[in-house]
Amino acid sequence: IRRTSDAHPTHIRRTSDALPTHFRRPAWRTGGSGGLQRRRRRAILIGVNPTSFDDSLDALCERQCAFALYRLPGGRQDHFCMQQDGKCGGEGETGAALRGEAPSAFVISPFSGSPVCIKAEVSEPPRPGRFRLLDEAELPPATDRRRYGELFHACLRQLNEVRGDAGALQKIVLARCADEPRPAHFSPSAAFRQLCTDAPRSFRALIHCPAFGTWLCATPELLISGSADSWETMALAGTRVCSTAPWDAKNRAEQALVARHIREAITSVTEPPEEQPAESLPAGAIEHLCSRMSFRMSRRYLPRLLDELQPTPAVSGYPVRRALDYLREHPDTARDCYAGFLGPTDEGSARLFVMLRCMRVLHDRCRLYAGGGIMPDSREETEWQETEAKMQPMRRLLLQEA
């Protein structure tokens, strides 16, 4: 483990020559014959003297503390972020981090609610025994196929009832969750590394805090990135299996709504953005329609822009305020961190991403999340299969770690 002096000061290099002996990956994690040690894994997780980096991170996931481990898109370096006291910063500290008035931090925002930040004060995982064990929160039931159908047709009725009215709803993003058994020896830390291999062009993160629980994600969607007065974002929407065929009208219309909202949000704060033509953006076996935008803005306006920008129509609907009103009255699922945003900030730059392709890690199961944009001409089975495709990377991860 080493500290560097660049924009993100807490880096972790996983090569065996860079890690001290007590943080090296044990032989049984690399395919050795360690049956006895596997049977003791649960004891290690809740103990106070873990013997490897993976064990340290996994044990912290059982404790009342907060940390983030992440890797930037295309990057090969892991970044660990934690405060000395193991807690999260409040509203004032989070605002300062977003405005670039604070040293390095990691920001986490749920879909609905206030963001928090974790200041980068610790360069290596501390002993888990410093923190109390975490009681797991009870969650509402997952979304079964029947319930999804009911929610879908309720959305469709709403869209068609007001079709053609001025300012009427044109799109509602319907989200759902699914529970999968947690493998007996599942390691969140090892799963993070596997995500880094499986999704090299995505933003990959393992985050944990008492308010939100433990989450893994590999998201392809950039919310905003930049430094000084130079910024970029993307309008990402529409989903299909990777293809060379032209995009259909439904997906093009869906992406156009997202681009319109982002364009208007930026223009409300600064000059209109420069926009590139929409193109396909692969994300595993599926792809999305994406147009990139760049613009000039003072860093101090970032919190204001985030208020206008997030949630975008890609995760809520269009118009956004009407879609959010509908979702409050007809909730789809407890989204928590799903479709919120997360990412690192420092005094020079900020890189924030939408929390997609994610799952919440629980004691006995993992809860997977996905959603899709419902338009007046949407079909139930097509939308269901889209959410299945979006959950597939996390299901595959669980199979690999079993």
Side-chain angles (χ1 to χ4, degrees):
I1 300 171
R2 65 184 182 91
R3 180 179 290 274
T4 63
S5 58
D6 61 9
H8 300 283
T10 48
H11 301 298
I12 299 169
R13 192 179 295 278
R14 294 287 175 76
T15 54
S16 59
D17 57 345
L19 283 175
T21 303
H22 63 286
F23 272 121
R24 290 183 187 170
R25 194 180 184 196
W28 65 267
R29 292 305 308 273
T30 58
S33 57
L36 178 60
Q37 287 152 308
R38 288 190 182 93
R39 288 192 293 273
R40 291 175 178 167
R41 178 151 186 78
R42 178 64 182 170
I44 292 174
L45 283 180
I46 63 173
V48 296
N49 293 307
T51 57
S52 75
F53 181 85
D54 282 350
D55 289 337
S56 295
L57 264 292
D58 295 347
L60 288 175
C61 290
E62 307 273 340
R63 299 280 170 166
Q64 294 189 35
C65 60
F67 72 86
L69 177 66
Y70 65 94
R71 191 180 294 192
L72 294 169
R76 302 182 66 181
Q77 191 100 50
D78 295 338
H79 308 263
F80 179 76
C81 183
M82 190 173 186
Q83 294 186 181
Q84 290 282 359
D85 60 9
K87 298 180 180 179
C88 293
E91 183 177 351
E93 293 166 303
T94 303
L98 291 172
R99 291 189 299 270
E101 299 169 356
S104 300
F106 191 92
V107 175
I108 306 168
S109 178
F111 177 75
S112 177
S114 300
V116 300
C117 73
I118 304 171
K119 291 176 285 187
E121 297 175 340
V122 177
S123 61
E124 62 184 71
R127 292 293 182 186
R130 287 177 48 194
F131 310 104
R132 297 195 305 271
L133 285 170
L134 180 66
D135 294 327
E136 187 169 279
E138 290 189 12
L139 300 180
T143 316
D144 61 23
R145 184 66 179 84
R146 177 182 174 183
R147 177 60 177 159
Y148 180 84
E150 294 171 351
L151 293 168
F152 173 87
H153 287 288
C155 290
L156 214 57
R157 284 193 299 271
Q158 178 67 25
L159 291 168
N160 284 303
E161 283 175 5
V162 298
R163 196 170 188 175
D165 294 350
L169 269 173
Q170 300 176 49
K171 170 186 174 181
I172 301 170
V173 175
L174 178 58
R176 73 178 183 93
C177 59
D179 288 342
E180 298 290 345
R182 175 173 171 166
H185 308 295
F186 181 78
S187 162
S189 177
F192 165 79
R193 281 202 314 281
Q194 187 61 51
L195 279 179
C196 291
T197 300
D198 293 346
R201 290 181 290 186
S202 296
F203 177 76
R204 297 136 294 177
L206 165 62
I207 63 171
H208 172 79
C209 70
F212 305 133
T214 304
W215 292 72
L216 281 158
C217 82
T219 177
E221 184 171 356
L222 172 69
L223 180 60
I224 190 168
S225 176
S227 60
D229 63 350
S230 180
W231 298 88
E232 63 177 342
T233 184
M234 63 169 59
L236 186 77
T239 304
R240 69 178 185 182
V241 175
C242 291
S243 171
T244 57
W247 284 85
D248 62 28
K250 186 262 185 186
N251 281 299
R252 290 199 305 272
E254 191 178 343
Q255 195 273 339
L257 292 177
V258 177
R260 177 180 173 182
H261 167 82
I262 294 176
R263 197 180 305 117
E264 292 173 348
I266 294 171
T267 304
S268 72
V269 175
T270 184
E271 296 294 322
E274 295 183 5
E275 187 173 355
Q276 299 177 9
E279 59 183 6
S280 297
L281 179 69
I286 61 177
E287 62 184 357
H288 307 286
L289 199 53
C290 172
S291 57
R292 300 180 185 274
M293 303 183 193
S294 58
F295 57 99
R296 313 289 290 186
M297 181 188 71
S298 171
R299 172 69 180 273
R300 69 177 183 272
Y301 294 125
L302 180 57
R304 178 180 163 190
L305 178 58
L306 289 172
D307 286 341
E308 298 292 331
L309 198 60
Q310 177 68 11
T312 73
V315 295
S316 58
Y318 190 87
V320 170
R321 296 191 188 282
R322 288 182 178 269
L324 291 176
D325 288 342
Y326 177 85
L327 291 172
R328 276 190 288 268
E329 295 173 9
H330 309 84
D332 46 15
T333 189
R335 297 193 181 194
D336 298 320
C337 286
Y338 168 68
F341 67 85
L342 74 168
T345 69
D346 58 42
E347 293 169 309
S349 64
R351 299 180 179 92
L352 303 175
F353 300 82
V354 182
M355 177 75 113
L356 303 176
R357 309 297 185 275
C358 59
M359 68 179 177
R360 183 171 180 174
V361 181
L362 303 163
H363 288 320
D364 61 346
R365 66 195 189 281
C366 293
R367 174 157 288 191
L368 286 59
Y369 294 80
I374 309 303
M375 305 281 279
D377 55 350
S378 293
R379 297 183 178 182
E380 179 185 343
E381 184 60 26
T382 301
E383 298 298 332
W384 172 267
Q385 291 302 328
E386 179 179 316
T387 60
E388 284 287 291
K390 289 175 177 176
M391 290 181 179
Q392 195 56 36
M394 289 298 167
R395 285 200 174 104
R396 184 167 56 247
L397 178 67
L398 291 173
L399 290 174
Q400 290 171 322
E401 294 297 312

